[in-house]
Amino acid sequence: MTEEELSHRMKVIQFTEEDVARLKKLSPYAREYAEPVIEEFYRHLLSFEEMRAFFPDRRTLDYVKRKQKEYFVRLTEGDYGMKYVEDRLLIGAVHEKIDLPIKTYLAMYAYYENQVASRLRAAFAGHADEAFDVFLSLIKLIRLDMILAIDAYSLRREQTIRQQEEAIRELSTPVLRIRDRLLILPIIGLIDRKRATQITAQLLTSIRNARARVIVIDITGVPVVDTDTANHLVQTVEAARLLGAQVITTGLSSEIAQTIVRLGVDLSRLNTVGDLQGGVEEAERILGYRVIRGEGGSSYLEAG
Amino acid sequence: MAAPFEKYLEPLAIEGERDIVSARERVRDAARGLGFSAVELTLLATAVSEIARNIIEYAGHGTISLRLSDSGRNPGIEVVAEDRGPGIENIELALQDGYSTRRSLGMGLPGARRLVDEFQIESTVGKGTRVILRKWKTSTKAA
Ligand SMILES: Nc1ncnc2c1ncn2[C@@H]1O[C@H](COP(=O)(O)OP(=O)(O)OP(=O)(O)O)[C@@H](O)[C@H]1O
Ligand SMILES: [Mg+2]
């Protein structure tokens, strides 16, 4: 978050200098009540069994309690700038790290607000209007904190998702060695440039290691082949050829075939065979295997 | 002519490879929603892929917006791709098969043009490029 974004958000929640002044006036009360409010807060929290799991040991609990007490006082000390935001984001990250769900984190504020409201009522006895104004200012600041917490959570989430995507990418293009010198590469899903590069690199390594002579690339699972994908396919085939392997492409759907023809991309250099089964048979023929039909419909291969 | 495009979808920012995939998925979903056939879906998604990739390749970033027309007899989709990149000096040349300033296949623009029913391109050097694609559920163009 930048300085600009912060001041924009402050405007959106209508947090003004007036709010800052009101909150600062609360400072002595905050100091006085930090201890009992936070203690009670965690007592309430830990009365729920599902919450206890998140604070397994005393040290974690003591740490967050101490942080929360500091935070409680901090709410009334003014100067809600970038430093303040960074501290808040850190607290959000700590809670995310212990896997506390965001809904729980936000629900905790409800109890917190109740606690504060009843203390304010007592402290401002006979001045209900004033108490109400101060409470509103506090709510605005807490609202900002909630927004920041959600930011911190979703940022972490996005990072996690991205990491998983990377992992899936690498797992999702297995190079299968089904017979001596024969590899199958089933490609599933959307191919972007990064993935295409990965697939090519992986295939070339496998060709070397297996000393493969024929590779069947099956693209049944690829929904779109644009010029870039087609180009990559052609380049992969060329590279494989340089390593002494032939490539058979299978699984071109009729939609994709029609699209490629209209696009005008020349795939004539690709050896395409309808389906994977046909591709493997063609590969076996190239490798000189003969399929011998045995009795009862069984068949086996014989190197020729 | 077919009914006007009455439904606007929020523009999609095209800033990286990932967004090319999102753009064509979004178009595919929209076209499926209008009852486009599998072939027509694929043709349109591929055309979008081409112009989205050009945005990344030549302009760095831009937007793609969709407008749908589903009240008339022949529903359709309009795709507007815009960028504020360097623009294209010679559009006629850029539309020719095999013309590429980055030694690629040079089939993106001419190919995309063949995949859709209507194709418009406006470009000003130093200002940017706008490509408009339209496709109808029942193609108005002979295959
Ligand atoms: N959005 C754009 N901004 C600037 N120049 C563009 C843009 N789109 C296309 N061009 C220019 O038009 C040329 C032709 O584009 P086209 O998409 O047909 O081919 P390519 O991108 O070079 O290759 P391919 O798409 O086949 O990989 C490009 O090389 C580029 O110079
Ligand atoms: Mg292109």
Side-chain angles (χ1 to χ4, degrees), chain A residues 255-269:
Chain A
E255 294 93 61
I256 290 185
Q258 288 183 53
T259 306
I260 289 176
V261 169
R262 277 230 220 159
L263 262 181
V265 177
D266 177 20
L267 288 188
S268 61
R269 268 181 301 173

Side-chain angles (χ1 to χ4, degrees), chain B residues 49-96:
Chain B
S49 196
E50 296 298 342
I51 55 171
R53 191 177 301 284
N54 282 350
I55 289 180
I56 301 291
E57 206 69 57
Y58 304 107
H61 58 92
T63 57
I64 287 191
S65 339
L66 301 188
R67 294 164 71 191
L68 312 181
S69 154
D70 60 0
S71 59
R73 222 171 288 151
N74 192 7
I77 298 189
E78 180 180 80
V79 181
V80 182
E82 280 171 301
D83 67 62
R84 291 162 183 268
I88 301 175
E89 229 164 272
N90 188 335
I91 294 187
E92 220 169 297
L93 214 51
L95 284 173
Q96 275 174 21

Side-chain angles (χ1 to χ4, degrees), chain A residues 165 193 226-227 262-263, chain B residues 17-18 49-50 107 114:
Chain A
E165 276 178 359
R193 194 164 288 176
D226 60 8
T227 56
R262 277 230 220 159
L263 262 181
Chain B
E17 184 85 23
R18 203 172 284 270
S49 196
E50 296 298 342
M107 298 304 279
R114 285 189 286 266

Side-chain angles (χ1 to χ4, degrees), chain A residues 162 165-166 169 190-194 223-229 231 254-256 258-259 262-265, chain B residues 17-18 21 24-25 28 38-39 42-43 45-46 49-50 53 57 102 104-105 107-108 111-112 114-115 143:
Chain A
R162 208 155 291 165
E165 276 178 359
E166 291 292 316
R169 246 176 222 281
L190 303 159
I191 304 181
D192 58 21
R193 194 164 288 176
K194 199 166 158 198
V224 171
V225 176
D226 60 8
T227 56
D228 214 61
T229 315
N231 205 7
S254 76
E255 294 93 61
I256 290 185
Q258 288 183 53
T259 306
R262 277 230 220 159
L263 262 181
V265 177
Chain B
E17 184 85 23
R18 203 172 284 270
V21 175
R24 65 186 185 216
E25 286 312 287
R28 201 184 253 283
V39 177
T42 309
L43 295 176
T46 309
S49 196
E50 296 298 342
R53 191 177 301 284
E57 206 69 57
R102 63 164 184 125
S104 185
L105 296 179
M107 298 304 279
R114 285 189 286 266
L115 298 179

Side-chain angles (χ1 to χ4, degrees), chain A:
Chain A
M1 150 126 35
T2 62
E3 202 100 29
E4 259 172 33
E5 278 171 346
L6 178 60
S7 81
H8 177 72
R9 289 210 184 168
M10 290 293 205
K11 266 187 213 132
V12 173
I13 59 174
Q14 294 186 302
F15 189 82
T16 63
E17 282 307 315
E18 208 177 329
D19 294 301
V20 176
R22 281 191 204 128
L23 287 169
K24 275 185 170 167
K25 265 194 271 172
L26 278 183
S27 197
Y29 300 106
R31 266 174 232 286
E32 192 182 336
Y33 294 136
E35 185 76 25
V37 167
I38 297 300
E39 286 300 328
E40 231 159 288
F41 175 61
Y42 278 95
R43 203 170 308 133
H44 174 71
L45 194 70
L46 295 176
S47 70
F48 297 95
E49 198 179 335
E50 76 270 18
M51 304 284 187
R52 281 201 285 274
F54 296 112
F55 304 96
D57 54 278
R58 268 230 83 79
R59 273 185 53 203
T60 313
L61 186 60
D62 284 344
Y63 176 75
V64 291
K65 271 190 191 171
R66 187 156 49 82
K67 282 284 165 207
Q68 291 287 15
K69 281 171 200 165
E70 283 168 22
Y71 166 55
F72 191 76
V73 175
R74 182 65 188 86
L75 277 173
T76 62
E77 289 183 328
D79 202 2
Y80 308 108
M82 287 305 282
K83 182 77 183 67
Y84 178 82
V85 168
E86 273 154 31
D87 287 349
R88 296 311 304 149
L89 287 175
L90 201 67
I91 298 218
V94 167
H95 282 92
E96 213 272 347
K97 222 184 235 158
I98 58 173
D99 285 330
L100 188 74
I102 179 104
K103 60 180 180 202
T104 311
Y105 187 72
L106 295 181
M108 280 159 53
Y109 277 103
Y111 182 79
Y112 198 55
E113 285 163 9
N114 276 338
Q115 278 285 320
V116 171
S118 69
R119 307 265 167 180
L120 278 178
R121 199 179 290 135
F124 286 76
H127 304 275
D129 282 355
E130 206 179 329
F132 193 70
D133 284 345
V134 168
F135 188 64
L136 267 183
S137 299
L138 194 64
I139 292 289
K140 284 185 201 169
L141 188 58
I142 290 178
R143 206 64 82 224
L144 175 72
D145 288 359
M146 288 182 176
I147 295 171
L148 293 173
I150 293 174
D151 265 359
Y153 266 81
S154 37
L155 203 70
R156 289 269 306 204
R157 226 358 106 72
E158 268 170 39
Q159 283 169 349
T160 312
I161 291 174
R162 208 155 291 165
Q163 281 161 4
Q164 286 169 345
E165 276 178 359
E166 291 292 316
I168 291 171
R169 246 176 222 281
E170 272 154 38
L171 287 175
S172 60
T173 43
V175 181
L176 310 171
R177 184 173 172 181
I178 62 157
R179 298 202 200 307
D180 196 27
R181 307 286 167 107
L182 171 54
L183 301 179
I184 294 187
L185 176 73
I187 303 178
I188 295 165
L190 303 159
I191 304 181
D192 58 21
R193 194 164 288 176
K194 199 166 158 198
R195 182 154 179 236
T197 312
Q198 246 164 14
I199 292 173
T200 309
Q202 209 178 333
L203 178 67
L204 295 182
T205 310
S206 306
I207 292 177
R208 278 248 192 81
N209 293 344
R211 297 198 290 134
R213 279 190 47 214
V214 185
I215 295 105
V216 179
I217 299 183
D218 183 67
I219 60 167
T220 310
V222 178
V224 171
V225 176
D226 60 8
T227 56
D228 214 61
T229 315
N231 205 7
H232 262 288
L233 200 59
V234 171
Q235 280 170 6
T236 305
V237 170
E238 293 293 328
R241 193 168 293 164
L242 285 177
L243 292 183
Q246 285 187 48
V247 177
I248 297 167
T249 311
T250 63
L252 213 67
S253 70
S254 76
E255 294 93 61
I256 290 185
Q258 288 183 53
T259 306
I260 289 176
V261 169
R262 277 230 220 159
L263 262 181
V265 177
D266 177 20
L267 288 188
S268 61
R269 268 181 301 173
L270 295 192
N271 179 3
T272 53
V273 172
D275 61 359
L276 185 56
Q277 168 90 29
V280 172
E281 281 170 14
E282 168 73 7
E284 286 167 344
R285 202 186 51 71
I286 294 170
L287 286 170
Y289 286 111
R290 271 187 302 146
V291 180
I292 314 263
R293 303 263 170 228
E295 278 163 40
S298 69
S299 56
Y300 59 93
L301 290 167
E302 193 180 83

